[in-house]
Amino acid sequence: MNIDEWRSQIKRGTLEFCVLLMIAQGECYGYELISRLEKRPILAAKESTIYPLLRRLLREGLLSSAWRESAEGLPPRKYYTITEQGRRYLEAMGAEWDNLLSAINEIKGG
């Protein structure tokens, strides 16, 4: 296995967590999420990854969405917000993430 494959596996497992974290900070539309993730190369994701993830999170009741007209005359955008169920799930994910980092740091000796 090479480092790129390993990085891809890590990203796959954390992308959902990162997307929920960003939406929990304030409503977002899909392209905005993609742009924010691109600022952190290890988390950068394509539309073909983000939009199916958003649809799944909607189906699972973790997000809600609403179409909004753009003030600049652009096409309407679909904005996503986190639901109460999504907040509870995110809180549980955060606790598991903290446990994981703690265990890894302990193993590393940090």
Side-chain angles (χ1 to χ4, degrees):
M1 178 187 275
N2 67 36
I3 197 70
D4 290 331
E5 290 175 28
W6 185 74
R7 187 181 307 123
S8 176
Q9 288 180 3
I10 290 173
K11 185 166 91 172
R12 206 172 305 128
T14 57
L15 196 56
E16 177 178 334
F17 184 42
C18 292
V19 165
L20 286 171
L21 282 169
M22 288 189 291
I23 295 173
Q25 294 169 1
E27 66 180 9
C28 299
Y29 54 93
Y31 186 75
E32 179 181 8
L33 291 168
I34 293 166
S35 296
R36 288 171 66 185
L37 288 167
E38 283 178 351
K39 292 178 183 175
R40 297 156 183 94
I42 196 163
L43 295 173
K46 298 179 181 181
E47 291 179 25
S48 60
T49 300
I50 294 299
Y51 288 109
L53 173 60
L54 291 169
R55 284 191 297 273
R56 181 175 61 77
L57 295 173
L58 277 169
R59 263 192 329 271
E60 293 175 356
L62 304 177
L63 298 178
S64 61
S65 66
W67 287 95
R68 295 234 183 84
E69 295 293 326
S70 170
E72 299 87 35
L74 299 171
R77 292 179 173 148
K78 190 175 197 176
Y79 283 83
Y80 297 89
T81 55
I82 193 164
T83 63
E84 188 55 41
Q85 179 182 349
R87 286 192 187 283
R88 288 191 303 271
Y89 183 61
L90 181 57
E91 187 176 313
M93 289 176 87
E96 290 300 318
W97 182 258
D98 291 343
N99 288 337
L100 175 64
L101 289 182
S102 177
I104 291 170
N105 285 328
E106 190 176 306
I107 290 169
K108 282 176 56 179

